[in-house]
């Protein structure tokens, strides 16, 4: 059952697509308006679990920290952060005798104190008006299903987007791209797509290519004939450049975010001085969406949207002010405070909150301050693209994933989880985000495999790939200046080849389970406790998850470990895989097991009574997978029925004995 409570709603986010009557009774939280804030409190007991909050730091159980939804570009992702790139304001509270979900529908900053100030108390606080949806059901699955129903069906990418993607910030020329293709080919590594990052653009201008990409259309076609797609980046801001027609159109039509007097508000991002398109303005959104045509006409079928928190290096006004002041300091005799003041002024340029307060959107003729609807910016950018794709070709799926998001954008795009680092604990964080993201509607998800920031190591790249083969978006991506981490740059290319082959081996199951999870509003990844809620042990398990109907994943996330403890909440079949063709199995009983997992082995577990479809050959790309020649790994004694969604989304039912 779903109830809506209205607290002077400021702005309709569009996150909820069903109309729900306002409830008249008292909300389950202890509500008060105090100190200009809406405050929702709830007393926990010692066993209360809190799930949700999508892209965030810390555990699957979110209890014990304070999280703030305020989309932020900061690549330093560690456990004391409160805001990452996304606002996923849905939590599920599980008490001994009560379970409910709560969605705080607001475009503004909101804080979830889940036992921080007071270890036993939840306090959700926000200044602006909002709607709160309360969902009660007997089961956690039921709560999630009802929530996902009211936020609308999750985005589904094209089938090829489940293949492996190679990416790196720093690829610059057509030759760079050809070099990657060549290296993948000569090393017999599968590849479905390559991302083009900002250096492939002409001067950081969206929807362009730099001059090295001659004969673009032929080049794109040639690669596509090999089943390799190029996936260009689209940054949120548009370069100020009088010879750039997109800029000129934006200026002429006032499609930009403005200052309070409706003048263009110039900011600095990768293209230098830029304007932010006003994705919240209907006409501007339609206009921006139509710009994707430029690339669609060339045969491009996938995009990634970046810098859409929006990330801002400076505002023109502020940078002028700061450098004027600093210029006046030349030759002055400094006290140490003077030094720190000047230094602080420069550091304070980037992502300064004042910019968000000075920026305005023009929504139906009314100026709305950006700060108040900040969290919607990336969502609305994805919406602009997605609505245009439908117009361009309503029968085709396009790949789109975004860095910034807010519940609602899950209908239009997937997300990658931003600038992680080549740290072992980010493998674990990757794992823990999967169920939380699914709860909030995000299904096409993935992290930068092998790590974005910092230098990776070969064993980290291997272990991370051993998790990423099970996630819908599998992209090896790294930052400029870091060690080259394309798999062919390491010593044990054969290990990588084997692991990649397992991606394509498992893909029939992954794709099928993905589509079914989207269509039934259920989870592709679950905390163990959701499946085994009578088993107290599973309440606290944070480094194993259930993947689809029957697989349990327990990856290695510690350097130099060649095994780990795995708790099995039922009888399972251990599947020890070397590559798509070679694996061995052994039955294991419910309980604790120390499981050996050498670097060159992928180990996963299939629950008793089930079987999974696999493709038992090495594939070069997703189109190599022959759906008429699937095999099964079985852990069933009785007749077992599996409904497989094939690559054309046909449902085929198999009876497995
Ligand atoms: O400020 O386009 O998260 O994936 O490679 C950095 C360059 C800008 C941030 C993205 C990252 C991308 C990088 N971008």
């Amino acid at each position: 059952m779903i109830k809506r409570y209205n607290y002077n709603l400021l702005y309709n986010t569009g996150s909820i697509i069903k109309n729900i009557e306002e409830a008249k009774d008292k909300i389950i939280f202890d509500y008060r308006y105090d100190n200009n804030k809406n405050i929702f409190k709830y007393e926990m007991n010692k066993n209360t679990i809190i799930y949700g909050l999508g892209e965030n730091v810390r555990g699957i159980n979110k209890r014990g920290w304070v999280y703030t939804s305020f989309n932020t570009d900061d690549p330093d992702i560690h456990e004391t952060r409160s805001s990452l790139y996304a606002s996923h304001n849905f939590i599920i509270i599980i008490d001994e005798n009560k379970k409910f979900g709560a969605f705080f529908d607001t475009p503004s900053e909101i804080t979830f104190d889940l036992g921080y100030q007071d270890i036993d108390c939840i306090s959700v606080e926000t200044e602006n008006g909002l709607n709160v949806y309360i969902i009660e059901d007997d089961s956690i699955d039921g709560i999630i299903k009802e929530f996902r129903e009211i936020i609308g069906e999750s985005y589904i990418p094209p089938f090829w987007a489940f293949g492996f993607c190679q990416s790196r910030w720093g690829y610059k020329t057509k030759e760079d791209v050809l070099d990657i293709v060549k290296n993948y080919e000569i090393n017999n590594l599968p590849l479905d797509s390559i991302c083009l990052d900002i250096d492939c653009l002409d001067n950081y201008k969206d929807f362009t290519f730099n001059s090295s990409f001659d004969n673009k259309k032929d080049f794109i076609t040639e690669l596509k004939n090999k089943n390799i797609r190029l996936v260009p980046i689209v940054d949120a801001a548009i370069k100020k450049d009088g010879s750039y027609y997109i800029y000129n159109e934006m200026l002429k039509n006032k499609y930009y975010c403005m200052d309070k007097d409706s003048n263009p508000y110039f900011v600095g991002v990768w293209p230098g001085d830029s304007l932010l398109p006003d994705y919240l303005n209907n006409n501007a959104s339609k206009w921006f969406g139509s710009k994707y045509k430029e690339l669609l006409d060339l045969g491009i079928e996938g995009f990634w949207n970046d810098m859409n928190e929006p990330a801002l290096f400076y505002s023109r006004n502020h940078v002028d002010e700061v450098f004027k002041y600093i210029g006046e300091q030349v030759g002055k005799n400094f006290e140490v405070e003077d030094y720190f003041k000047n230094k602080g002024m420069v550091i304070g340029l980037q992502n300064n909150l004042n910019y968000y307060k000075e920026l305005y959107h023009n929504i139906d003729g009314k100026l709305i301050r950006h700060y108040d609807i900040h969290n919607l910016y990336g969502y609305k950018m994805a919406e602009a693209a997605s609505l245009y794709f439908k117009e361009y070709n309503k029968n085709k799926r396009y790949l789109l994933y975004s860095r910034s998001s807010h519940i609602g954008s899950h209908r239009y795009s997937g997300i990658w989880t931003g600038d992680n680092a080549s740290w072992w604990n980010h493998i674990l964080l990757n794992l823990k985000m999967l169920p939380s993201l699914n709860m909030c509607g995000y299904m096409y998800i993935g992290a930068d495999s092998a790590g974005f920031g910092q230098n990776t190591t070969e064993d980290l790249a291997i272990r991370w790939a051993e998790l990423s083969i099970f996630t819908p978006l599998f992209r090896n991506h790294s930052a400029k200046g870091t060690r080259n981490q394309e798999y062919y740059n390491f010593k044990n290319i054969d290990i990588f080849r084997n692991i990649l082959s397992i991606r394509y081996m498992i893909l029939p199951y992954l794709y099928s389970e993905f589509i079914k999870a989207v269509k039934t509003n259920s989870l592709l990844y679950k905390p163990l406790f959701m499946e085994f809620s009578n088993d107290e042990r599973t309440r606290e398990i944070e480094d194993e998850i259930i993947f689809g109907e029957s697989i349990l994943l327990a990856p290695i996330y510690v350097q130099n470990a060649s095994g780990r403890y795995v708790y099995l909440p039922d009888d399972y079949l251990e599947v020890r895989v070397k590559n798509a063709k070679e694996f061995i199995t052994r039955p294991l009983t419910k309980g604790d097991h120390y499981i050996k997992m050498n670097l060159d082995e992928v180990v996963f577990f299939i629950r008793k009574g089930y079987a999974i479809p696999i493709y038992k050959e090495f594939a070069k790309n997703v189109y190599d997978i022959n759906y008429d020649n699937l095999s099964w790994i079985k852990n069933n004694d009785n007749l077992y029925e599996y409904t497989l969604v094939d690559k054309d989304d046909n449902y085929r039912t198999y009876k497995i004995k």
Side-chain angles (χ1 to χ4, degrees):
M1 196 189 38
I2 307 182
K3 289 181 172 177
R4 176 171 68 89
Y5 300 86
N6 182 352
Y7 302 88
N8 294 315
L9 180 70
L10 173 84
Y11 185 83
N12 182 1
T13 59
S15 301
I16 301 288
I17 58 159
K18 291 222 169 108
N19 191 25
I20 291 163
E21 286 296 305
E22 194 178 332
K24 295 280 172 290
D25 62 345
K26 220 172 128 299
I27 195 166
I28 192 161
F29 288 92
D30 178 12
Y31 171 78
R32 67 196 154 87
Y33 188 78
D34 193 11
N35 217 349
N36 294 320
K37 275 187 178 161
N38 295 290
I39 303 174
F40 302 85
K41 284 197 186 288
Y42 186 84
E43 276 295 320
M44 294 186 275
N45 56 46
K46 88 173 193 313
N47 286 325
T48 306
I49 289 178
I50 307 165
Y51 286 144
L53 292 185
E55 179 183 291
N56 246 308
V57 295
R58 300 208 175 213
I60 302 176
N61 182 355
K62 303 310 282 186
R63 183 172 180 164
W65 185 240
V66 56
Y67 308 85
T68 296
S69 290
F70 194 78
N71 299 351
T72 305
D73 167 32
D74 181 345
D76 195 13
I77 298 172
H78 49 70
E79 68 180 39
T80 49
R81 283 282 299 283
S82 277
S83 306
L84 302 181
Y85 305 89
S87 301
H88 301 153
N89 302 330
F90 177 56
I91 55 174
I92 303 163
I93 297 172
I94 304 149
D95 266 352
E96 261 137 48
N97 38 28
K98 208 184 299 155
K99 296 186 190 70
F100 64 96
F103 177 55
F104 295 83
D105 191 9
T106 169
S108 313
E109 179 170 353
I110 180 165
T111 293
F112 294 83
D113 181 329
L114 308 181
Y116 174 72
Q117 287 293 346
D118 174 339
I119 197 166
D120 297 315
C121 186
I122 293 175
S123 183
V124 182
E125 306 187 4
T126 182
E127 280 182 17
N128 288 333
L130 75 163
N131 268 328
V132 182
Y133 294 81
I134 300 294
I135 306 171
E136 284 177 276
D137 195 279
D138 294 337
S139 73
I140 309 173
D141 297 87
I143 292 169
I144 292 167
K145 207 186 214 32
E146 286 189 50
F147 176 60
R148 298 258 302 272
E149 269 164 24
I150 63 167
I151 60 173
E153 189 177 294
S154 301
Y155 164 78
I156 299 177
F159 181 64
W160 61 265
F162 288 81
F164 174 70
C165 174
Q166 179 58 55
S167 181
R168 178 176 174 84
W169 174 16
Y171 297 157
K172 193 169 177 166
T173 61
K174 186 174 171 177
E175 286 64 45
D176 290 344
V177 174
L178 286 169
D179 193 54
I180 298 155
V181 173
K182 188 188 82 199
N183 276 300
Y184 269 87
E185 261 168 20
I186 58 177
N187 289 298
N188 275 316
L189 297 165
L191 181 66
D192 279 88
S193 59
I194 299 173
C195 277
L196 304 180
D197 208 323
I198 49 176
D199 298 309
C200 297
L201 303 172
D202 167 24
N203 259 302
Y204 304 114
K205 286 185 279 195
D206 278 347
F207 309 109
T208 66
F209 288 85
N210 68 37
S211 58
S212 76
F213 291 89
D214 52 353
N215 299 324
K216 292 182 284 259
K217 199 162 181 174
D218 293 345
F219 182 54
I220 290 160
T221 314
E222 251 165 62
L223 289 181
K224 214 191 279 182
N225 290 340
K226 297 185 176 193
N227 286 318
I228 296 170
R229 265 122 178 126
L230 295 181
V231 180
I233 194 168
V234 181
D235 271 7
I238 294 294
K239 185 175 178 65
K240 176 185 178 191
D241 176 346
S243 66
Y244 179 30
Y245 80 99
I246 296 186
Y247 173 74
N248 290 332
E249 285 180 15
M250 178 166 56
L251 206 59
K252 183 169 129 242
N253 296 301
K254 297 195 187 326
Y255 287 159
Y256 44 76
C257 294
M258 40 191 74
D259 69 13
K260 64 177 190 332
D261 303 316
S262 303
N263 300 312
Y265 186 95
F266 287 98
V267 295
V269 205
W270 289 105
D273 283 8
S274 307
L275 284 176
L276 294 165
D278 189 353
Y279 303 118
L280 281 89
N281 171 302
N282 263 327
N283 294 330
S285 157
K286 282 209 184 94
W287 164 80
F288 188 83
S290 71
K291 297 300 146 201
Y292 285 78
K293 181 173 194 302
E294 195 93 6
L295 300 177
L296 293 166
D297 284 348
L298 293 172
I300 297 288
E301 297 172 37
F303 307 87
W304 49 309
N305 286 350
D306 191 18
M307 306 301 275
N308 47 3
E309 294 69 32
L312 302 175
F313 299 161
Y314 59 83
S315 79
R316 189 68 245 174
N317 288 341
H318 190 44
V319 84
D320 283 347
E321 236 169 69
V322 167
F323 285 111
K324 178 161 179 286
Y325 177 85
I326 286 176
E328 289 161 6
Q329 311 308 303
V330 176
K332 277 196 183 161
N333 197 12
F334 266 18
E335 300 294 337
V336 71
E337 300 80 47
D338 298 314
Y339 164 72
F340 282 115
K341 180 175 175 194
N342 282 272
K343 179 180 161 196
M345 283 175 84
V346 175
I347 291 171
L349 282 168
Q350 189 160 350
N351 292 330
N352 190 307
L353 289 187
N354 287 329
Y355 309 155
Y356 298 145
K357 292 181 177 164
E358 291 165 3
L359 272 165
Y360 285 81
H361 298 268
N362 177 356
I363 300 171
D364 302 326
K366 262 192 12 219
L367 288 195
I368 307 248
R369 187 169 73 144
H370 173 82
Y371 188 78
D372 296 316
I373 54 87
H374 173 73
N375 291 336
L376 302 185
Y377 195 69
Y379 158 18
K380 294 294 165 178
M381 182 185 179
E383 180 180 65
S386 165
L387 295 183
Y388 182 72
F389 297 161
K390 293 245 153 49
E391 220 177 290
Y392 189 80
N393 186 346
K394 67 174 191 312
N395 299 318
K396 199 172 161 119
R397 286 179 190 158
Y398 292 94
L399 172 61
L400 179 66
Y401 51 93
S402 172
R403 191 170 70 179
S404 182
S405 61
H406 177 285
I407 291 178
S409 79
H410 70 286
R411 300 191 295 267
Y412 306 115
S413 83
I415 55 173
W416 92 98
T417 51
D419 295 346
N420 61 15
S422 297
W423 294 340
W424 288 90
N425 67 23
H426 275 184
I427 300 182
L428 182 57
L429 184 61
N430 184 177
L431 183 85
K432 291 193 285 194
M433 273 191 201
L434 297 169
S436 313
L437 284 167
N438 276 187
M439 291 173 196
C440 296
Y442 291 89
M443 303 303 285
Y444 188 74
I445 49 180
D448 291 348
S449 200
F452 176 77
Q454 320 300 332
N455 292 326
T456 199
T457 56
E458 181 160 352
D459 53 347
L460 178 65
I462 290 174
R463 289 306 192 192
W464 210 321
E466 288 174 356
L467 170 61
S468 302
I469 54 173
F470 299 109
T471 67
L473 168 64
F474 177 10
R475 181 175 79 146
N476 175 343
H477 182 53
S478 54
K480 212 171 193 168
T482 60
R483 176 179 188 177
N484 290 327
Q485 63 186 38
E486 295 79 10
Y487 298 139
Y488 51 79
N489 285 312
F490 297 107
K491 185 172 174 191
N492 294 288
I493 301 178
D494 53 328
I495 295 186
F496 287 104
R497 185 181 311 114
N498 283 333
I499 295 169
L500 286 171
S501 80
I502 303 168
R503 164 60 163 213
Y504 296 80
M505 170 199 192
I506 204 81
L507 212 148
Y509 176 81
L510 167 63
Y511 186 73
S512 176
E513 293 297 304
F514 176 93
I515 297 290
K516 286 189 282 181
V518 169
K519 294 294 177 187
T520 60
N521 291 316
S522 47
L523 304 185
L524 181 59
Y525 306 100
K526 281 185 188 174
L528 269 52
F529 182 64
M530 272 182 67
E531 197 87 33
F532 300 95
S533 47
N534 293 327
D535 180 344
E536 281 302 306
R537 274 290 296 283
T538 63
R539 282 180 163 271
E540 295 175 13
I541 292 180
E542 291 271 352
D543 63 354
E544 301 176 20
I545 55 172
I546 288 168
F547 162 47
E549 179 183 75
S550 58
I551 291 181
L552 185 144
L553 297 175
I556 294 258
Y557 53 90
V558 174
Q559 187 158 33
N560 299 318
S562 62
R564 56 164 285 181
Y565 280 98
V566 177
Y567 176 71
L568 297 176
D570 193 356
D571 293 348
Y572 274 82
L573 184 75
E574 179 198 85
V575 187
R576 180 172 299 273
V577 195
K578 180 136 190 267
N579 59 47
K581 285 172 180 272
E582 292 173 67
F583 61 87
I584 49 171
T585 62
R586 68 168 168 148
L588 293 172
T589 52
K590 175 180 159 134
D592 291 288
H593 299 268
Y594 184 80
I595 308 285
K596 218 39 196 160
M597 300 184 191
N598 289 316
L599 258 191
D600 61 352
E601 295 173 314
V602 173
V603 180
F604 63 88
F605 307 88
I606 301 174
R607 194 171 174 188
K608 191 165 180 63
Y610 296 82
I612 64 158
I614 55 161
Y615 182 59
K616 241 184 125 181
E617 299 287 337
F618 279 73
K620 286 192 303 300
N621 57 61
V622 295
Y623 297 105
D624 271 356
I625 299 170
N626 180 355
Y627 272 80
D628 295 324
N629 187 21
L630 298 181
S631 307
W632 295 81
I633 310 179
K634 299 178 205 169
N635 189 20
N636 57 312
D637 298 328
N638 301 326
L639 188 71
Y640 163 76
E641 210 177 272
Y642 184 77
T643 302
L644 176 104
V645 186
D646 71 15
K647 66 175 195 307
D648 304 312
D649 289 2
N650 296 316
Y651 285 60
R652 312 182 182 191
T653 300
Y654 291 84
K655 292 192 164 52
I656 306 298
K657 186 78 187 131

